[in-house]
Amino acid sequence: IEKENSLAFLDILISREGDNFLTSLYRKPTFSGLYSNFSSFMPIDYKKGLVYTLLSRGFSLCTDWSKFRSEVLVLKSIMGKNGYPRHFVDKCIKVFFDKMSTPNQIVLTVPKKELRICLPFMGIDSFKIRKDLLKFAKDYLPGSCKLQIIFSSQNRLGDYFRFKDKIP
């Protein structure tokens, strides 16, 4: 039900101002603000990813800069309560804004030709041959092909064992 020209829908707060609709993030009154603690045993990239995800969510759901700015301030507060150092969160915010301000450059390239070579497996010498072939492709065909070496064996396990009984 709409209250004070605002309606919460999923995790978005839709506000009506005149003929326009503005959106921002909505958190239920029961929202605890609990995320992974900074001292948790997990890779630092996961911790950065959490901050980037929350920033991206706010950026995509807030319709104007004032609402996004207030969301960033709330995010800083929540991350602080979860043990995230202020300098860590500030650095993540700076990296996020740097990426947002840099235009995406589309680089059109010719797709690499995929080459597969199937060789018989001859023990440890096979790995040396594969290494030499990959080095050759890298040195003489840089960027133009993707070489994949596959080893095969003439002998199969099923050749040595019978899994079915002979029919009399």
Side-chain angles (χ1 to χ4, degrees):
I1 298 173
E2 184 177 336
K3 292 181 184 176
E4 299 175 9
N5 292 334
S6 296
L7 177 68
F9 179 73
L10 299 177
D11 58 348
I12 302 172
L13 182 66
I14 304 168
S15 303
R16 188 168 27 118
E17 292 184 11
D19 294 338
N20 297 327
F21 290 105
L22 300 176
T23 60
S24 61
L25 268 75
Y26 173 74
R27 291 182 180 90
K28 291 181 180 179
T30 58
F31 175 71
S32 65
L34 185 64
Y35 291 108
S36 299
N37 194 294
F38 190 77
S39 61
S40 296
F41 184 69
M42 57 193 255
I44 194 76
D45 290 341
Y46 287 17
K47 297 170 187 178
K48 289 178 186 176
L50 173 62
V51 178
Y52 294 144
T53 299
L54 294 172
L55 285 168
S56 178
R57 176 176 173 251
F59 183 79
S60 62
L61 296 180
C62 293
T63 52
D64 64 357
W65 282 104
S66 64
K67 293 190 184 298
F68 180 62
R69 184 179 181 282
S70 64
E71 179 58 33
V72 170
L73 294 175
V74 169
L75 179 65
K76 282 183 177 184
S77 171
I78 291 171
M79 292 290 104
K81 291 176 184 174
N82 283 285
Y84 283 71
R86 187 161 185 89
H87 66 86
F88 179 84
V89 177
D90 289 340
K91 184 177 178 185
C92 290
I93 292 170
K94 181 186 180 318
V95 169
F96 178 79
F97 279 116
D98 288 346
K99 286 183 180 180
M100 296 307 294
S101 64
T102 305
N104 292 338
Q105 297 177 355
I106 298 173
V107 178
L108 299 176
T109 61
V110 177
K112 292 182 179 181
K113 174 104 173 143
E114 291 188 19
L115 299 174
R116 290 187 185 94
I117 299 175
C118 186
L119 299 173
F121 183 73
M122 300 180 295
I124 198 150
D125 293 332
S126 298
F127 299 117
K128 184 180 179 327
I129 291 170
R130 177 174 60 187
K131 181 181 171 185
D132 291 343
L133 285 172
L134 290 172
K135 184 178 180 328
F136 177 83
K138 182 180 175 185
D139 291 344
Y140 294 102
L141 305 168
S144 63
C145 78
K146 180 180 176 183
L147 184 61
Q148 185 178 14
I149 311 287
I150 302 169
F151 295 115
S152 65
S153 174
Q154 299 298 326
N155 301 326
R156 302 273 183 234
L157 186 60
D159 296 341
Y160 298 106
F161 301 101
R162 295 181 191 239
F163 292 107
K164 294 184 179 182
D165 293 333
K166 286 187 176 181
I167 299 175

